[in-house]
Each structure stands twice: as structure tokens, then as C-alpha cells.
């Protein structure tokens, strides 16, 4: 890319290389798309008329344990930025450290919460020291890809939607300086929702806004904050093309015609735009966020991050894509590139479950359990080199001498299956705080399998996102004591140890729940994309060759899981399903996703 003057905001229009420039942006997150498909998705975006890629950077994936950094493979950010440049896209980087993104804890690492006094997104020293350490690793990796150095990065965002949080007036200047002092030279931006206008800006940084339904207030606000001698360009940093879905709700859609009419109007007003999301991808693993507004009862996000975006979760074209391409083509002097062909699909033969292993039998493959007088939340467990447990399930066991009323004291985060001597007796969650335990003689083992369903990614309660048992639980008004606590984060190493072990039981024995169920998917010829269907199963997690595809839950809305071809091998593939309560004897496949009954975004 030829080098003159970078992106400037000195008049009513952006300029790039001294010429008027309109940002026609699209968000695709490298961490939500299999690396083998990065090029496919970016080419499809380029062919739609988008000229700028925007992406967040998820701190919790890049630093899963304190001072242990990962920028390899699926997380090779340098490769992603380089690929964008090769394909003729500019880049706006949104490095956080907080990203929201419907991502667990808004991208902040859970090990920060080991500090009982932690104040996230403030200048609290425990937080800024961790940010500094992360930025010391991140920023030198991306700085050489800035426009001024011959790279594609034309702008960098300072934090994210801070106006909606706004707990510390010194925080945004600190983040701005953290970027500048490490060599960021390009145009700086902030981005805020309507509830954060007036509070999210920082001196000398261009303010941008986020919305879905066009309201005149947004552009009026941007006009009002401009001082008369310095007119600045307007930009919608997140134009929401659809919306996210929550377990137990319906699948959100936003009509293509409505979306494109608003995009057309934004562009008519001479503003720049970024489509969030252009392609949503998938919340693989346990990385989904959760949502709660004015209620202490969060609802977790589903595994799919399809978002009803112009490019579907599996990279298919939609009506939105076609209409949007038509609009954006008017802002290009040259004809747009040809639209790339689609990936082939295959509906594989059902996988027959061949063997199973109970949860209790699987504990031998986990880290050494903790003995503790009182319950300990998962982040403070002494696992993962004393970084605690980030995601998954935690099993709390103690001895009881009677039946009676078990009361969670609302200390279950987020959902617990309750067992007495390995027999299921009930569930505890935000709505159900009590469970009757049957009477029995002598000592019996009470077990609570607690699931972290996903931490809040937005709002004022980020400091309160510790998971597992976060305080006492009581039996007949007496707090329970003397726990043995097992961490079940179900990382690839654990799943692979499980798959390779000789401990499995044949399917002819009645399975015990919760448990792991194993089958083989045979792929003849070239692997193709597919969707997993689990009718007759209840709730759990699906692993393919050790990779966590995400959660399934019969309550929906989502009824299929996207299985990308690059994660399959020719020949045999190991399929493991962790199932909480009910299993069918097989795993089925489909050629199309089923994201559930649709409802319009309100």
C-alpha cells in the first residue's frame, strides 16, 4: 500500500493520503472464525464493497494465565492484519483492554478477579499493572503494521464504550497514554452507545457513536461537541446489523430492508460507517458472555454469534449481503471484485455413541482437587499454575448426615446440579434457591456440579463476576463445611486424555449422568462444513478432536452447532459430548443451521 499521509480527521470528511476518504468498515473477529477461513471471510467482505476491517483483541485468550502469552495459530493477530493488507483492506484495531463483544467478561482475563479488591476498568493499581504488562506484549506486535510504518492500520480505538461504565475520570487518559507511549501513531478514536455519550470521550481523540435504529440525536450530538473552528468527520463505529441471542429467548433478526435503508441514510449524511457485525462467527468453547440489565439474573449468550449479519455464521451470503453490496458499490469508482464461491457442505451419517464415562469416573483426569473448609470460587482455586479456573464446571463435594432443605443463599454462579450419593435431586440457579434433600442414614456425599454459564460482558457489575460457589450454602440453616473441590475446565488436554484412556464403559451398560459420551465420525474424502444436531439430548458441551465447539441446550433458541471443515480430519474423528442429564444414542448432522424461532430486534 502506497505511503503518504495517514487517516486524518481535520474536516467534515476523513482524508487518507491527502484525499477524501470514507470508511466503509466491517467487523470480523479473528478469534471467532477458524484460521483456515480468515481469507474466505475477508474476501467475501471485500467483494461486498467494504474497504476497512475492524477487529477487537481478546485479552483473556492472549493471556490465559498471568504473563503467559499466546499469539500463535488461531490467535496470530499479526498474520490476520497482514492478510487484510494483502487483500486490500485497511484496518481499525480495537485493542481494549475491555472489548464487550458478547465475550466472557468483555475480554478481561478472569484471573484479575483473584484479587478480592479488584476494580476493573479503573486506575486501580492491580488493574493498570496487568494492562501495562499485556500492552507491553501486544502493542509492539501491532505497531509495525501501522500506516506510518507501511502497514494497513489507519486508526486505533481507545478502550471501548467507556461512557457506559465511567467509574474513573483518570482511566481513559491512562489508556490513551498507554497506547501512545508504546508507539501508536495513527488516528485515535473512542466509541460509545447513547447512554455513554458525554462521558466516554478523551481529550484529542475523535468520538464515534454506536446504534441500530437511526435517531437524529446521534448526529446532533456529534455536531454539538465539535468546536466551531474544527469540524470533524462523523462516524458510526458500530452500526448493529443484527443482534445477539440468549439461551431461553428467541433468535433475533433485523430486517434486511430496514438495515440497508438506514445504512443508505447514514452514507447520505456524509458519515463513515462500520458494520458490526459483518460476519459474526461463533463463540467456540466457553467464551460466550452474558447479559443482564436492571436484574441480578444474567442470561448467557448462545454459542452461535451469527448475529443475523450480512455473512452468516458459516460464511453464507444473505439478503443483507446482496442489498448492502448494491449500496456500497455506489461509493466505489471501480467495479467490485467478483463474489467468491461458497464452501461445500456435507450431511454426515449419524455418529453412533459407542462408549461412555461418568463424571465421577472422569475426575482422575483432572488436576488434584482442593480440600477447603469453606467453598472457594473458581477463580481462586489453586489450579492452572495458581491462576484459578476461568471457565467450565466446578464440582463441590461434602459429607452430609441428614436430609432436609438445601439453601444456596443465592451463592451459586450460575447453575448447579445437585446430587446425593451420585443420584440427581435437583437444580439450583438464580430463580431456584432451595432444593429438598431426601432423608437417609449415615454419611452421604452431597455433590454440586456448578457451571459458569458465561460472565457478563457489559454493564456496571463486571467486578462481581466470580463464578462457582461464591459464598456459603446451608443445609437446614447451617452452613456446610469441609469441601473437596474439583476443577473441570475441560481443556483440550483433558478431553484428549479422556479420549485416549481405556476407562470407558460400553454403551450396553446404562449410562450414568452427568457423563461423557464417545463416538467416531468417519470422513471419507475432503472434509466439509456441517452442523451438529442433538435431538434427544439435554444440555452440555460438544468436542471434536479435542476442540470445544461450544454449549448445546435443548431449550434453545439454537438447535444446531456449526462444525467447520478445517477442524475435521480425513478418516476417523473423535467426538465427545459432555451431557448433564439426557442422551440419545446418536449425534446427527444437518446441511443448514437451526438458530430457532425468530423475533424482530426491538
Amino acid at each position: 500500500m502506497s505511503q503518504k499521509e495517514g487517516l486524518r480527521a481535520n474536516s467534515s470528511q476523513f482524508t487518507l493520503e491527502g484525499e477524501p476518504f470514507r470508511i466503509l468498515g466491517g467487523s470480523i473477529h479473528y478469534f471467532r472464525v477458524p484460521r483456515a477461513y480468515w481469507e474466505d471471510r475477508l474476501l467475501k467482505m471485500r467483494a461486498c464493497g467494504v474497504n476497512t476491517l475492524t477487529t477487537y483483541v481478546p485479552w483473556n485468550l492472549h493471556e490465559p494465565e498471568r504473563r503467559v502469552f499466546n499469539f500463535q495459530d488461531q490467535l496470530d493477530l499479526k498474520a490476520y492484519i497482514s492478510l487484510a493488507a494483502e487483500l486490500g483492506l485497511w484496518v481499525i484495531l480495537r485493542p481494549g483492554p475491555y472489548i464487550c463483544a458478547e465475550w466472557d467478561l468483555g475480554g478481561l482475563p478472569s484471573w484479575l478477579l483473584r484479587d478480592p479488591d479488584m476494580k476493573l476498568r479503573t486506575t486501580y493499581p492491580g488493574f493498570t499493572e496487568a494492562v501495562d504488562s499485556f500492552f507491553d506484549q501486544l502493542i509492539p506486535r501491532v505497531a509495525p503494521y501501522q500506516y506510518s510504518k507501511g502497514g494497513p492500520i489507519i486508526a486505533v480505538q481507545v478502550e471501548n464504550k467507556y461512557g457506559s461504565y465511567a467509574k474513573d475520570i483518570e482511566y481513559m487518559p491512562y489508556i490513551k497514554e498507554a497506547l501512545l507511549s508504546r508507539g501508536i501513531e495513527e488516528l485515535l478514536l473512542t466509541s460509545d452507545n447513547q447512554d455513554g455519550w458525554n462521558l466516554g470521550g478523551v481529550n484529542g481523540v475523535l468520538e464515534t457513536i454506536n446504534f441500530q435504529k437511526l435517531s437524529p440525536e446521534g448526529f446532533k450530538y456529534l455536531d454539538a461537541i465539535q468546536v466551531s473552528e474544527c469540524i470533524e468527520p462523523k462516524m458510526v463505529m458500530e452500526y448493529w446489523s443484527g443482534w445477539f441471542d440468549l439461551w431461553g429467548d428467541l433468535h433475533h433478526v433485523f430486517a434486511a430492508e430496514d438495515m440497508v435503508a438506514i445504512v443508505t441514510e447514514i452514507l447520505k449524511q456524509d458519515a463513515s460507517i462500520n458494520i458490526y457485525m459483518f460476519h459474526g462467527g461463533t463463540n467456540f468453547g466457553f467464551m460466550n458472555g452474558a447479559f443482564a440489565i436492571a436484574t441480578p439474573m444474567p442470561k448467557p449468550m448462545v454459542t452461535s454469534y451469527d448475529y443475523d449479519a450480512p455473512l452468516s455464521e458459516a460464511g453464507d451470503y444473505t439478503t443483507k449481503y446482496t442489498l448492502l453490496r448494491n449500496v456500497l458499490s455506489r461509493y466505489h469508482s471501480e467495479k467490485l471484485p467478483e463474489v467468491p464461491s461458497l464452501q461445500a457442505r456435507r450431511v454426515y451419517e449419524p455418529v453412533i455413541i459407542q462408549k461412555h464415562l461418568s463424571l465421577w469416573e472422569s475426575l482422575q483426569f483432572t488436576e488434584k482437587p482442593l480440600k477447603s473448609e469453606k467453598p472457594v470460587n473458581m477463580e481462586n482455586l489453586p489450579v492452572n499454575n495458581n491462576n484459578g479456573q476461568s471457565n467450565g464446571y466446578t464440582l463441590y463435594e461434602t459429607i452430609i448426615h441428614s436430609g432436609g432443605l438445601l439453601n444456596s443463599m443465592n451463592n451459586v454462579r450460575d447453575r448447579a446440579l445437585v446430587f446425593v450419593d451420585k443420584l440427581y435431586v435437583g437444580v439450583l440457579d438464580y430463580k431456584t434457591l432451595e432444593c429438598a434433600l431426601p432423608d437417609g442414614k449415615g454419611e452421604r456425599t452431597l455433590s454440586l456440579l456448578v457451571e459458569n454459564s458465561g460472565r457478563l460482558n457489559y454493564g456496571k457489575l463486571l467486578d462481581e463476576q466470580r463464578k462457582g460457589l461464591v459464598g456459603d450454602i446451608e443445609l437446614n440453616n447451617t452452613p456446610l463445611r469441609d469441601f473437596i473441590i474439583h476443577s473441570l475446565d475441560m481443556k483440550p488436554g483433558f478431553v484428549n486424555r479422556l479420549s485416549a484412556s481405556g476407562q470407558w464403559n460400553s454403551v450396553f451398560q446404562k449410562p450414568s449422568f452427568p457423563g461423557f459420551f464417545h463416538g467416531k465420525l468417519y470422513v471419507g474424502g475432503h472434509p466439509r462444513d456441517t452442523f451438529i444436531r442433538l435431538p434427544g439430548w439435554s444440555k452440555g458441551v460438544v468436542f471434536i478432536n479435542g476442540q470445544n465447539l461450544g454449549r448445546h441446550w435443548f431449550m434453545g433458541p439454537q438447535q444446531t452447532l456449526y462444525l467447520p471443515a478445517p477442524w475435521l480430519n480425513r478418516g476417523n474423528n473423535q467426538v465427545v459430548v459432555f451431557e448433564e442429564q439426557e442422551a440419545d444414542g446418536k449425534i446427527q448432522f444437518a446441511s443448514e443451521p437451526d438458530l430457532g424461532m425468530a423475533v424482530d430486534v426491538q
Side-chain angles (χ1 to χ4, degrees):
M1 295 180 174
S2 63
Q3 294 307 306
K4 295 175 192 166
E5 187 182 57
L7 190 68
R8 297 289 182 269
N10 301 329
S11 64
S12 62
Q13 271 191 305
F14 287 109
T15 59
L16 182 61
E17 304 179 336
E19 301 291 324
F21 179 73
R22 188 194 301 265
I23 296 166
L24 303 172
S27 289
I28 302 180
H29 300 151
Y30 58 100
F31 48 96
R32 281 184 157 126
V33 178
R35 180 170 176 166
Y37 281 159
W38 287 352
E39 185 167 359
D40 173 77
R41 307 307 196 247
L42 293 181
L43 281 169
K44 286 170 176 168
M45 185 165 79
R46 178 99 167 72
C48 193
V50 168
N51 61 22
T52 304
L53 164 70
T54 66
T55 185
Y56 282 134
V57 177
W59 180 8
N60 54 10
L61 291 187
H62 286 294
E63 193 178 359
E65 297 177 8
R66 195 182 282 272
R67 299 192 186 274
V68 175
F69 298 97
N70 181 2
F71 290 91
Q72 305 296 313
D73 305 321
Q74 186 65 46
L75 296 174
D76 191 340
L77 178 56
K78 292 199 289 193
Y80 190 60
I81 295 169
S82 300
L83 179 62
E86 277 169 43
L87 302 181
L89 290 162
W90 300 107
V91 174
I92 295 176
L93 194 66
R94 309 173 81 191
Y98 163 83
I99 63 172
C100 183
E102 288 71 68
W103 196 250
D104 187 83
L105 203 58
L108 302 174
S110 65
W111 46 257
L112 290 166
L113 297 174
R114 288 174 69 82
D115 175 352
D117 302 318
M118 177 54 65
K119 293 173 184 62
L120 301 170
R121 302 179 75 195
T122 69
T123 52
Y124 173 71
F127 185 69
T128 56
E129 285 160 18
V131 171
D132 289 340
S133 167
F134 174 53
F135 274 12
D136 284 345
Q137 293 290 324
L138 172 66
I139 303 304
R141 284 178 161 85
V142 297
Y145 294 89
Q146 294 179 95
Y147 181 89
S148 59
K149 306 280 193 286
I153 297 173
I154 53 171
V156 176
Q157 187 175 298
V158 182
E159 234 266 355
N160 188 44
K161 307 185 182 85
Y162 195 67
S164 306
Y165 197 71
K167 291 189 178 185
D168 182 347
I169 56 167
E170 295 175 359
Y171 176 66
M172 286 295 279
Y174 153 72
I175 294 291
K176 176 188 172 185
E177 182 54 32
L179 295 169
L180 294 175
S181 64
R182 289 168 177 83
I184 294 297
E185 300 171 359
E186 303 307 325
L187 183 73
L188 296 179
L189 315 160
T190 59
S191 148
D192 277 290
N193 299 354
Q194 186 162 356
D195 65 354
W197 299 345
N198 295 318
L199 295 169
V202 59
N203 218 5
V205 173
L206 181 71
E207 289 189 40
T208 70
I209 58 175
N210 309 326
F211 60 72
Q212 180 165 68
K213 309 274 171 80
L214 190 63
S215 66
E217 291 90 6
F219 289 136
K220 278 186 189 155
Y221 169 74
L222 290 180
D223 284 333
I225 60 171
Q226 298 183 357
V227 281
S228 55
E229 65 272 15
C230 178
I231 304 298
E232 292 179 319
K234 297 185 183 70
M235 177 161 184
V236 182
M237 187 64 198
E238 290 186 14
Y239 176 69
W240 299 320
S241 64
W243 203 241
F244 54 81
D245 292 341
L246 306 171
W247 289 115
D249 280 8
L250 296 172
H251 168 51
H252 290 103
V253 294
F254 184 47
E257 294 73 16
D258 295 352
M259 183 200 101
V260 171
I262 295 168
V263 169
T264 304
E265 186 54 37
I266 290 168
L267 295 174
K268 269 192 191 154
Q269 300 219 18
D270 238 15
S272 283
I273 190 170
N274 175 57
I275 308 288
Y276 185 101
M277 296 294 297
F278 186 87
H279 166 59
T282 310
N283 297 319
F284 292 116
F286 293 124
M287 299 311 298
N288 61 278
F291 180 78
I293 277 214
T295 164
M297 288 197 251
K299 281 191 165 180
M301 311 285 170
V302 303
T303 300
S304 170
Y305 198 59
D306 178 271
Y307 207 81
D308 195 33
L311 210 56
S312 78
E313 178 180 15
D316 289 339
Y317 302 113
T318 65
T319 307
K320 279 183 184 167
Y321 182 98
T322 310
L323 297 177
L324 186 63
R325 187 170 191 259
N326 188 31
V327 171
L328 297 184
S329 68
R330 296 171 210 155
Y331 294 87
H332 289 267
S333 50
E334 295 166 13
K335 192 164 174 273
L336 292 180
E338 288 297 310
V339 170
S341 58
L342 291 174
Q343 301 291 331
R345 294 261 171 81
R346 187 177 301 163
V347 179
Y348 295 101
E349 287 297 309
V351 167
I352 306 303
I353 296 300
Q354 293 162 328
K355 46 194 186 179
H356 63 87
L357 195 65
S358 76
L359 169 74
W360 327 103
E361 292 169 312
S362 76
L363 297 177
Q364 60 187 297
F365 302 105
T366 64
E367 281 197 47
K368 188 174 167 222
L370 171 70
K371 290 184 177 174
S372 172
E373 185 195 0
K374 293 183 179 183
V376 177
N377 58 289
M378 62 161 56
E379 296 81 4
N380 285 92
L381 293 174
V383 295
N384 298 313
N385 305 308
N386 282 318
N387 286 276
Q389 182 182 345
S390 291
N391 311 100
Y393 295 78
T394 310
L395 181 68
Y396 296 82
E397 297 195 312
T398 186
I399 300 298
I400 55 171
H401 298 89
S402 73
L405 194 63
L406 183 68
N407 189 323
S408 73
M409 312 301 291
N410 201 17
N411 283 321
V412 166
R413 303 281 184 279
D414 295 289
R415 188 171 177 274
L417 301 181
V418 183
F419 304 86
V420 174
D421 281 347
K422 302 181 185 173
L423 290 175
Y424 172 74
V425 293
V427 66
L428 296 170
D429 56 22
Y430 292 101
K431 289 184 182 155
T432 308
L433 305 182
E434 294 180 337
C435 174
L437 303 186
D439 287 327
K441 293 202 172 88
E443 294 189 344
R444 292 177 301 160
T445 302
L446 171 71
S447 307
L448 281 85
L449 181 66
V450 185
E451 179 194 12
N452 164 7
S453 305
R455 295 182 182 83
L456 286 184
N457 53 273
Y458 182 77
K460 305 260 188 182
L461 302 176
L462 296 180
D463 292 342
E464 296 163 36
Q465 294 308 300
R466 293 171 186 87
K467 298 294 183 179
L469 290 184
V470 297
D472 282 337
I473 52 170
E474 294 186 353
L475 179 57
N476 302 328
N477 301 315
T478 303
L480 290 167
R481 292 290 178 257
D482 299 322
F483 288 87
I484 293 179
I485 308 172
H486 295 266
S487 167
L488 282 144
D489 45 18
M490 302 189 192
K491 291 180 176 174
F494 165 80
V495 179
N496 290 331
R497 284 196 301 277
L498 213 60
S499 292
S501 89
Q503 308 285 320
W504 293 84
N505 308 301
S506 88
V507 293
F508 300 112
Q509 292 169 276
K510 187 167 184 282
S512 151
F513 294 95
F516 294 88
F517 293 80
H518 187 283
K520 285 193 178 124
L521 167 60
Y522 181 77
V523 175
H526 203 69
R528 300 291 185 204
D529 281 5
T530 192
F531 294 90
I532 289 180
R533 288 179 60 240
L534 293 157
W537 299 71
S538 167
K539 182 179 187 303
V541 193
V542 181
F543 303 88
I544 302 282
N545 298 322
Q547 292 257 27
N548 187 334
L549 287 190
R551 304 173 212 259
H552 74 90
W553 197 351
F554 78 94
M555 75 191 280
Q558 180 178 357
Q559 299 294 337
T560 52
L561 285 173
Y562 174 50
L563 171 49
W567 290 5
L568 291 170
N569 309 316
R570 272 179 195 252
N572 278 326
N573 294 267
Q574 308 285 334
V575 184
V576 174
V577 180
F578 175 69
E579 171 55 51
E580 292 183 13
Q581 290 190 286
E582 186 184 3
D584 187 56
K586 57 187 178 298
I587 297 158
Q588 300 182 43
F589 298 91
S591 59
E592 297 297 325
D594 178 358
L595 297 176
M597 188 184 291
V599 63
D600 287 328
V601 178
Q602 293 308 308

